[in-house]
Amino acid sequence: MYMGHYAIALGARRWLRPLPMAWLLFASIEPDLHDVLGSMIPGLGIGPDTHTLPGACVAAIAIAVITALAFHRAGLALGAGLLVLSHIAADYLTSRLPLWRHGPMVGLHLYATPWADFLLEAGTIAIGLTMYASSPDLRRPVRGGVAVIAVVMLTLQAIWNFGLGGG
Amino acid sequence: MGHFEWLMLLGFALPGAIICLIHRHLTRRPR
């Protein structure tokens, strides 16, 4: 999954409003960033384990602990950890990934059918943004800002699905 | 780091920055 991860973070903000948006977005894509940064910084690298259940659980615990230390709220820590776990749960829909290192490969691999993946991600974006827009702490009207976010996310998702030959 | 990794970073950083900027605008308290 690509922009759907950010959509999940935007929707989850409804329950995690004290957390900075950048932290929510980061938590939602931690396994992907871990892949990239792990290739730059050897100490961070855990190889292909970033997208396995054990790897994601360790990352989720780490993010939850950091959140707890920084924000002193167990509920926020749990929410941030769940956002990390949502990453591989969503990726099992769009990709085929091992459950654990050398474990069985599971997943629907919707990337192989770009339209199906685009529709799933567009639906996730619509739900996530609708939940985000309903937050009571946003300045009204929110329509313009949310529309810009939607256009950016859908455009990048379309480029990912149809412009790069799929993921 | 190869081209794909840079593209992936950019692909997340660009929309992330836009979302954060708009969110900041939407949550700014009027003076």
Side-chain angles (χ1 to χ4, degrees), chain A residues 13 132-133 135-146, chain B residues 21-31:
Chain A
R13 185 186 175 271
Y132 171 73
S135 291
D137 63 334
L138 300 183
R139 267 201 315 189
R140 307 286 150 180
V142 297
R143 205 177 305 137
V146 168
Chain B
L21 277 175
I22 293 173
H23 175 70
R24 193 174 155 197
H25 170 74
L26 289 175
T27 51
R28 193 185 300 145
R29 294 285 125 230
R31 297 184 182 190

Side-chain angles (χ1 to χ4, degrees), chain A residues 2-3 6 10 13 21-22 25 29 32-33 36 39-40 132 137-139 145 148-149 152 156, chain B residues 1 4-5 7-9 11-16 18-20 22-23 25-30:
Chain A
Y2 176 38
M3 281 294 106
Y6 276 176
L10 283 160
R13 185 186 175 271
M21 178 59 77
L25 297 178
I29 59 163
D32 285 340
L33 281 184
V36 176
S39 70
M40 292 169 66
Y132 171 73
D137 63 334
L138 300 183
R139 267 201 315 189
V148 172
I149 294 175
V152 168
L156 287 172
Chain B
M1 207 164 67
F4 180 76
E5 283 80 11
L7 201 62
M8 199 164 153
L9 270 187
F12 279 123
L14 179 69
I18 292 171
I19 290 170
C20 287
I22 293 173
H23 175 70
H25 170 74
L26 289 175
T27 51
R28 193 185 300 145
R29 294 285 125 230

Side-chain angles (χ1 to χ4, degrees), chain A residues 23 26-27 30 58-68 77 80-81 84:
Chain A
W23 186 244
F26 168 75
E30 196 281 340
V58 170
I61 291 168
I63 294 293
V65 168
I66 294 169
T67 306
V84 178

Side-chain angles (χ1 to χ4, degrees), chain A residues 59-78:
Chain A
I61 291 168
I63 294 293
V65 168
I66 294 169
T67 306
L69 290 173
F71 296 93
H72 311 289
R73 296 256 302 270
L76 297 177
L78 179 66

